[in-house]
Amino acid sequence: MKCLALIWLLSCLLFPVLTVAAPGVDAITLTPAKDGGQTYTLSIQVLLFMTALSLLPAVLLLMTSFTRIIIVLAILRQALGTQSTPSNQILIGLALFLTLFIMMPVFQEVYECGVAPYLDENLTMMEALKKSEVPVRGFMLAQTRESDLALFSEIGGFEPFQNPDQVPFTVLLPAFATSELKTGFQIGFLIFIPFLIIDLVVASVLMSMGMMMLSPMIISLPFKIMLFVLIDGWALIFGTLASSFLV
């Protein structure tokens, strides 16, 4: 059911154009040819559906908590100085599953408000899409700075919005993505500071001992890893990221 809610969430954000198509349009139409043969035509509805599927990764990356998480994890790896450890695949996997954990209440609300009533035939397609949009919009608005909303509304030529329901997705999406980038770099900056101090201390000690040919990174790396392990760094990072989305 959680997967169904996720699919429905993506559908309500990407596929509203499909709902205005004529109902009952066949995916493939069969037309007899003059020579007795047959020609097959793919309907525009399926073409639009397949085009929208290509946008699903962008929706997952930019309309959820994924952006902030992956930025923080990438900066953390850079601060540790471990080069490609953890690998990109591991970081993306961690960010993806932490995103699912954080977004699960939103997906659950989407399922309860839109998916379940639609499957029970208590709501039409358009009504279910509108109800499913509410929790997604609420999540994005809660994480979006007013300055970013004002910036993109001004660029788009919109008048000041009286309430959050008037904010269109064309303004909310870039404002939300910009806010997530800012927040991710702010958290990454705070994480970087203690590791930077260790690098400075090690570099100063080596220089005072006249060991200028020895790279400070080689000496500071085990100290940074030891510090990160002793303070249970992964739990602190994941806990901080998860709690940063609480309103």
Side-chain angles (χ1 to χ4, degrees):
M1 289 185 177
K2 303 297 177 59
C3 294
L4 184 59
L6 175 58
I7 296 174
W8 184 266
L9 167 63
L10 300 177
S11 301
C12 73
L13 298 175
L14 290 178
F15 307 152
V17 66
L18 301 179
T19 61
V20 300
V25 177
D26 296 331
I28 299 178
T29 57
L30 180 62
T31 304
K34 295 181 179 180
D35 56 358
Q38 296 175 335
T39 58
Y40 297 89
T41 304
L42 189 66
S43 70
I44 189 64
Q45 188 175 13
V46 175
L47 179 61
L48 292 175
F49 180 81
M50 298 303 296
T51 303
L53 282 178
S54 63
L55 299 177
L56 293 183
V59 171
L60 179 62
L61 298 182
L62 296 179
M63 300 184 72
T64 63
S65 57
F66 184 88
T67 301
R68 183 187 306 184
I69 296 171
I70 195 62
I71 288 176
V72 172
L73 293 181
I75 294 177
L76 171 63
R77 184 176 65 179
Q78 184 71 23
L80 285 172
T82 54
Q83 302 299 326
S84 59
T85 303
S87 64
N88 291 332
Q89 293 85 347
I90 294 177
L91 289 185
I92 293 175
L94 290 172
L96 178 59
F97 284 103
L98 188 57
T99 297
L100 294 177
F101 171 78
I102 294 172
M103 298 296 297
M104 195 54 66
V106 179
F107 296 157
Q108 183 66 35
E109 190 173 354
V110 168
Y111 177 80
E112 294 175 353
C113 295
V115 180
Y118 176 73
L119 295 178
D120 295 336
E121 299 182 355
N122 295 327
L123 294 177
T124 63
M125 182 70 171
M126 289 302 298
E127 292 174 344
L129 289 176
K130 291 180 180 179
K131 288 184 176 294
S132 300
E133 179 183 331
V134 174
V136 181
R137 177 184 291 272
F139 170 81
M140 296 177 67
L141 284 172
Q143 307 300 327
T144 303
R145 292 177 172 83
E146 294 183 1
S147 59
D148 294 326
L149 280 176
L151 171 65
F152 286 99
S153 62
E154 181 180 355
I155 295 175
F158 293 93
E159 297 294 332
F161 303 110
Q162 301 299 326
N163 56 73
D165 295 335
Q166 296 179 347
V167 180
F169 262 107
T170 54
V171 173
L172 179 57
L173 179 55
F176 172 77
T178 303
S179 296
E180 287 296 284
L181 288 172
K182 290 180 181 179
T183 305
F185 277 100
Q186 288 175 352
I187 298 175
F189 170 76
L190 296 177
I191 294 174
F192 209 107
I193 291 178
F195 299 106
L196 179 61
I197 294 175
I198 294 177
D199 287 333
L200 291 176
V201 171
V202 171
S204 300
V205 172
L206 291 178
M207 184 172 295
S208 64
M209 297 175 62
M211 304 174 64
M212 292 176 293
M213 300 300 295
L214 181 62
S215 174
M217 293 295 297
I218 299 177
I219 306 301
S220 63
L221 178 59
F223 288 99
K224 290 190 289 187
I225 294 178
M226 180 182 64
L227 172 65
F228 191 69
V229 172
L230 289 177
I231 64 175
D232 198 7
W234 289 113
L236 290 176
I237 294 296
F238 293 153
T240 300
L241 286 172
S243 60
S244 67
F245 288 94
L246 299 179
V247 180

